[in-house]
Amino acid sequence: MTTTGTVRRPTAGPADRRRRAGRALAAGLAAGGGAALAACASIPTSGPVVEGEATPEDPGQPFVSAASPRRDASPDQIVRGFLAAQAQGARGSFDVASEFLTRDAQDDWSPVSQVAILEDVPQLDVDEAAIEGGTTTVRATADVVGTVDERGVYTEQAPGRTTEVSYGLVRDADDQWRIDVVDDGLTITATNFARTFKQANLYFPTLDRAYLVPDARWFPSRNWQALAVRETLRGPADWLAGSVATVAPEGTSLSIDSVPPGEGRVAVPLTDPVTAASPADRAMLIAQLQASLGVPVDITVGVGGSELSADDVPTIGVATTPDEPVVLSGDQVMSLEGRTTRAVTSAAPLAGLQPTALAFRGRADDATYVVRDGAARLVTAPTAEAGPVTLLTGTSLVAPSIDRFQYVWSGPQVQAGSLQVVDLREAGSDAAVSEVAAPWLDGRTVMSLRVAPDGARVAVVSDSGSGAQVHVAGIVRDETGRPTQLSAPVRVGQPIAAATQVTWADRTLLGVLGRASGESEVVVQRVPVGGPTVAASPVEGAVSLASATGVGTTLVGTSDSSLYAAGTSSLWTKIATEVRLPTYPG
């Protein structure tokens, strides 16, 4: 499979193509970040509580049909039939797809080693000159919107990127065209991908085991439970590996290639290496598997059919951002409750400061507020008892974000390969400031950063002069919780060409204020960490963005100091005027 940078020029604009290609895939993402999985077995609710979202019973996905090869079908008909049968195979088996292959090709073809997701049905080009000799090549070309690797990791592709897949065909002993040369993997349209694959969030504990961190994957729906367990045992995606704990001993795997439901239980039979885990690690593994399978369940982890003992399964959930926003009205920090505001009690008026960004953690009325004063200084907001305390100075500092360990993240926008953090507990002392290595940022200008509520991930918008890029990286901490470095990141939001702000809109969903390639309007881009970007409806004059957990909490500030809230539809509702800098905890 060869991917090139060739740009095809359809009549629709880039945003229209992006919305059309991503609509089916992103329907669930826009509602909840794609975190919830549907229940596919009869399972009880008697296990420990796992914090999550209500998940309705899966009504089933649309049936994808495919027919066996028609007698005397032409080479292009054989390839089209094979492509259709690939989609059916992801829902059931690849038996029909194999009928389009020669015997040798059937033995060699590995269908789900990788998946290329196409915007639409590909164009086919048949090498007519070779047909008389009993062989030919059919080339399929289409825009590719995403790929999924063998571990289920989705990578969004930049708009206009094409893929070309070649199929070598021969006539068999019955004088019928069959595919003899084919690349491993599936080639499937976005519509059929949405029908036949299932998104699952795998969950891994933070290093302090306080929260579970989601790791979004996509699996063929026919056996997604077994694949989710297999990948949970293998560990997180590479970019997240140093920021979460792995409790399954190396070599632990499913002893059979399925996760069969039982009477009131889901059986997860594992191989012998799991017995090396401590009872506490076994309990955490059960909590992981329960969360990764989508709903609270009571799981038997067994070896050879026997139940493996463990400590009590911990009640561990996913970190969320409280829905307690504040705004700035004049020089006073105000709590926003619906359409009304009131002055917070823990911050005095910001007289004498030039606030360009706010940050806080905890409840609005008793939090310590951090203010970016102009562009070159971070300070604590004054209180009734004390004036502001300088936390950090520098040239063009990044707007602050505060993680759950009470570290304030910032640093110079023009990067030399490291960010800076300030320990709020040591505010004002030289020991409070430390460096966080991020060599991949060297030479880039950081427009915005936001630490996830779990403290294990950070989203960064940066620009090297050739356009904005959105990355998500893992946070590596020392034994005290102090951040020391960022992992090599994963790039998301490929269609975005310019952006000014990023926030966590849900567990695996970012909100990015920016514009897509080929577009002039700045809108909220909903960017999954593993999925297609979808643009929200525009808000005229949008200049600031904030969100708690759930896209329904999203707030957009405008250049005329109005504030808009996301509604249940695609429209925005004006909820306040004469306010700016909407901010949620974090």
Side-chain angles (χ1 to χ4, degrees):
M1 184 178 301
T2 303
T3 302
T4 69
T6 305
V7 178
R8 295 169 59 200
R9 303 187 183 277
T11 55
D16 293 329
R17 289 169 43 229
R18 192 156 49 92
R19 291 186 182 100
R20 183 171 68 247
R23 188 179 296 119
L25 283 175
L29 293 170
L37 296 176
C40 289
S42 176
I43 45 185
T45 56
S46 59
V49 175
V50 177
E51 181 180 342
E53 300 157 339
T55 307
E57 184 177 353
D58 188 356
Q61 294 173 304
F63 179 70
V64 178
S65 63
S68 297
R70 183 173 56 84
R71 185 159 185 85
D72 297 326
S74 63
D76 61 316
Q77 290 172 333
I78 290 295
V79 170
R80 289 199 186 280
F82 177 59
L83 293 173
Q86 289 182 43
Q88 184 199 46
R91 281 282 285 163
S93 73
F94 292 100
D95 292 347
V96 175
S98 294
E99 295 179 23
F100 292 85
L101 307 177
T102 63
R103 179 71 65 182
D104 287 344
Q106 290 176 14
D107 293 339
D108 294 340
W109 182 50
S110 175
V112 291
S113 58
Q114 59 181 340
V115 183
I117 305 155
L118 310 181
E119 180 184 0
D120 210 338
V121 176
Q123 298 176 353
L124 300 185
D125 180 27
V126 181
D127 183 2
E128 301 285 353
I131 286 180
E132 291 300 321
T135 64
T136 192
T137 300
V138 177
R139 293 179 176 84
T141 305
D143 286 348
V144 59
V145 297
T147 60
V148 175
D149 68 15
E150 63 179 0
R151 299 200 63 193
V153 176
Y154 186 112
T155 300
E156 188 176 24
Q157 300 297 308
R161 188 172 294 272
T162 63
T163 188
E164 180 182 281
V165 183
S166 295
Y167 302 91
L169 281 78
V170 299
R171 289 190 181 274
D172 65 10
D174 197 25
D175 202 31
Q176 300 298 302
W177 287 107
R178 291 295 182 265
I179 299 169
D180 189 51
V181 178
V182 58
D183 289 340
D184 284 340
L186 300 182
T187 304
I188 189 170
T189 64
T191 299
N192 280 336
F193 181 78
R195 291 172 175 170
T196 59
F197 275 70
K198 193 173 189 70
Q199 188 192 2
N201 279 338
L202 309 186
Y203 288 91
F204 299 91
T206 54
L207 294 176
D208 62 359
R209 304 197 179 198
Y211 295 102
L212 290 174
V213 180
D215 181 0
R217 307 292 181 93
W218 291 86
F219 301 122
S221 58
R222 74 184 193 281
N223 62 341
W224 75 269
Q225 295 99 329
L227 292 171
V229 172
R230 184 192 73 183
E231 291 302 325
T232 300
L233 297 173
R234 286 184 64 181
D238 290 344
W239 66 271
L240 194 55
S243 307
V244 295
T246 302
V247 298
E250 186 175 355
T252 302
S253 62
L254 281 168
S255 59
I256 59 175
D257 194 21
S258 68
V259 179
E263 283 296 325
R265 303 173 76 85
V266 174
V268 182
L270 302 180
T271 53
D272 287 344
V274 73
T275 59
S278 68
D281 280 353
R282 295 171 192 169
M284 181 59 73
L285 178 58
I286 293 173
Q288 278 187 262
L289 294 174
Q290 289 178 159
S292 296
L293 291 176
V295 291
V297 294
D298 195 13
I299 298 178
T300 299
V301 179
V303 178
S306 62
E307 186 172 349
L308 191 66
S309 63
D311 288 350
D312 290 338
V313 177
T315 300
I316 182 172
V318 178
T320 58
T321 300
D323 186 2
E324 286 199 17
V326 300
V327 293
L328 193 64
S329 178
D331 62 4
Q332 179 63 56
V333 179
M334 310 287 286
S335 175
L336 180 68
E337 299 173 352
R339 294 172 179 262
T340 63
T341 58
R342 60 173 178 81
V344 300
T345 58
S346 57
L350 306 183
L353 300 177
Q354 297 178 342
T356 55
L358 299 175
F360 72 103
R361 281 206 69 84
R363 300 188 61 83
D365 279 330
D366 55 16
T368 297
Y369 286 84
V370 174
V371 181
R372 183 175 62 180
D373 181 23
R377 189 169 73 128
L378 296 187
V379 300
T380 59
T383 67
E385 295 78 25
V389 175
T390 298
L391 302 176
L392 186 67
T393 59
T395 303
S396 297
L397 294 176
V398 179
S401 177
I402 308 176
D403 67 27
R404 67 181 177 91
F405 297 92
Q406 298 296 315
Y407 287 97
V408 183
W409 290 67
S410 184
Q413 285 189 295
V414 179
Q415 269 293 299
S418 66
L419 297 170
Q420 291 175 298
V421 292
V422 183
D423 189 342
L424 267 182
R425 296 161 297 187
E426 301 177 355
S429 71
D430 293 339
V433 181
S434 58
E435 302 288 319
V436 180
W440 52 273
L441 284 174
D442 188 19
R444 305 189 66 84
T445 298
V446 176
M447 312 304 296
S448 177
L449 65 81
R450 186 75 171 179
V451 180
D454 49 53
R457 302 167 293 164
V458 62
V460 181
V461 171
S462 64
D463 197 321
S464 63
S466 58
Q469 294 184 8
V470 185
H471 292 98
V472 178
I475 299 172
V476 179
R477 299 177 184 268
D478 65 18
E479 62 278 1
T480 69
R482 184 184 295 271
T484 59
Q485 67 182 68
L486 301 186
S487 71
V490 59
R491 186 177 175 185
V492 298
Q494 287 276 4
I496 295 173
T500 57
Q501 197 169 351
V502 64
T503 187
W504 287 91
D506 218 321
R507 298 176 181 185
T508 58
L509 183 71
L510 305 178
V512 178
L513 189 62
R515 62 172 179 82
S517 178
E519 300 292 319
S520 60
E521 197 164 32
V522 172
V523 301
V524 177
Q525 309 281 347
R526 289 171 180 160
V527 180
V529 185
T533 298
V534 177
S537 56
V539 178
E540 186 176 356
V543 295
S544 58
L545 172 68
S547 185
T549 302
V551 294
T553 66
T554 302
L555 299 173
V556 174
T558 61
S559 55
D560 66 357
S561 298
S562 296
L563 186 67
Y564 290 79
T568 55
S569 69
S570 60
L571 301 178
W572 298 86
T573 302
K574 183 186 285 190
I575 60 171
T577 58
E578 301 304 318
V579 299
R580 62 191 185 96
L581 301 182
T583 305
Y584 282 97

